[in-house]
Amino acid sequence: MKKMIDHNLQDIRKNISTAALQCGRDPATIRLVAVSKKFPASDIKKAIEAGQFLFGESYIQEAAQKKTEIGDAASFHFIGHLQSNKAKLAAQIFQMIETVDRYKLAATLDKELKLQGKTLDVLIQVNIGQEPQKSGVLLQDAEELFKQLIPLSNLKIRGLMTIPPYHDNPEHTRPHFQALRMLAEELKEKGYFFDNNHVELSMGMSSDYTIAIEEGATLIRIGTALFGHRPTR
Ligand SMILES: *Cc1c(COP(=O)(O)O)cnc(C)c1O
């Protein structure tokens, strides 16, 4: 098993480099988020041994348990749907929350952060395919949300995140990645991000990450291609 994670990680790193270089990007500007949800902490440890430091988790309780086991040997991003009543715990566990998509959640997080005396990097999740079942702010509501978030000074809004509609042919996700990048550029022009010279775009998963890289991804979230098929809960 260690061998497999090790091997998969090397393959993915190679693919990231190749895709980046082919479109004239520096591979070092693309960070791999190893999506370890539903996999045991022992798999995270194997990936750490193979040189991976950044992981993505979708469930707060599961992540809290892993954080206890792994400690500071890894950095965790939250990529699942966050309920406001879990904001306190989330603010303690994660280096970044990639799925802020509504004012109430952001305000609760900000309040918790003030109590904990710290700031937190966040991304705004955009429902780029306008899918009713998915989380994320709609494209046309994004700017209004950014305006509402301005006073929440303990949140550092680093960029945008999306989970586009699934397609068997990954080429079909390309327009969604382009739409996210264009939205980021618009918001950047208006100065809405914490650092408008360095805006993060979290997009691309196992099946389409090389396309996401071509379209400007700075964070790619990969589970299956690294750890294998997720065990059913
Ligand atoms: C599970 C998950 C991933 C990883 O998906 P794979 O197809 O296994 O690479 C990426 N992003 C989010 C938000 C997820 O929930």
Side-chain angles (χ1 to χ4, degrees):
M1 195 63 182
K2 169 178 184 326
K3 237 188 181 147
M4 193 187 80
I5 291 176
D6 200 322
H7 175 88
N8 292 346
L9 196 55
Q10 283 180 33
D11 273 357
I12 293 165
R13 288 207 187 106
K14 233 179 283 167
N15 294 341
I16 293 172
S17 278
T18 308
L21 294 172
Q22 269 173 2
C23 61
R25 296 185 60 195
D26 175 0
T29 61
I30 298 147
R31 287 192 290 161
L32 167 62
V33 181
V35 178
S36 44
K37 65 176 183 220
K38 299 189 187 179
F39 287 101
S42 56
D43 281 352
I44 296 180
K45 287 178 183 165
K46 285 171 194 158
I48 292 171
E49 278 173 43
Q52 179 65 22
F53 184 68
L54 177 55
F55 294 85
E57 289 283 343
S58 303
Y59 308 99
I60 295 287
Q61 295 305 334
E62 182 187 328
Q65 197 146 6
K66 288 173 180 173
K67 178 73 185 165
T68 308
E69 243 186 273
I70 307 284
D72 294 330
S75 168
F76 291 94
H77 283 192
F78 187 71
I79 61 170
H81 179 73
L82 187 57
Q83 291 165 325
S84 295
N85 63 3
K86 302 277 173 63
K88 179 180 178 180
L89 191 52
Q92 291 167 342
I93 300 172
F94 296 99
Q95 262 69 50
M96 184 188 275
I97 293 176
E98 297 199 8
T99 50
V100 173
D101 63 353
R102 57 202 188 276
Y103 177 77
K104 180 174 179 253
L105 170 62
T108 310
L109 266 174
D110 189 66
K111 203 171 114 195
E112 275 307 328
L113 290 162
K114 284 186 166 73
L115 290 172
Q116 293 176 27
K118 60 184 195 183
T119 59
L120 186 66
D121 290 337
V122 300
L123 303 181
I124 303 304
Q125 181 179 0
V126 182
N127 184 353
I128 206 79
Q130 324 262 4
E131 295 170 281
Q133 80 280 14
K134 269 192 188 149
S135 304
V137 65
L138 295 173
L139 194 69
Q140 63 270 27
D141 299 335
E143 184 170 0
E144 186 52 38
L145 178 61
F146 270 81
K147 280 184 187 157
Q148 293 175 343
L149 301 188
I150 291 172
L152 306 180
S153 55
N154 289 52
L155 297 181
K156 293 181 178 174
I157 305 178
R158 296 289 184 178
L160 303 179
M161 177 271 204
T162 199
I163 310 168
Y166 179 79
H167 279 289
D168 283 330
N169 179 354
E171 267 301 326
H172 289 154
T173 56
R174 187 186 295 277
H176 296 294
F177 294 149
Q178 289 171 336
L180 192 75
R181 190 190 61 210
M182 279 161 56
L183 175 64
E185 266 157 27
E186 260 175 56
L187 296 167
K188 185 169 109 171
E189 292 285 308
K190 298 181 178 171
Y192 281 117
F193 295 102
F194 179 76
D195 179 355
N196 293 286
N197 294 314
H198 184 81
V199 175
E200 301 274 5
L201 282 179
S202 176
M203 55 189 198
M205 319 203 313
S206 289
S207 58
D208 52 22
Y209 66 92
T210 57
I211 291 171
I213 289 169
E214 289 168 14
E215 298 304 335
T218 63
L219 288 162
I220 53 174
R221 312 177 307 263
I222 298 186
T224 311
L226 176 56
F227 293 110
H229 286 289
R230 277 180 285 281
T232 44
R233 276 153 84 86

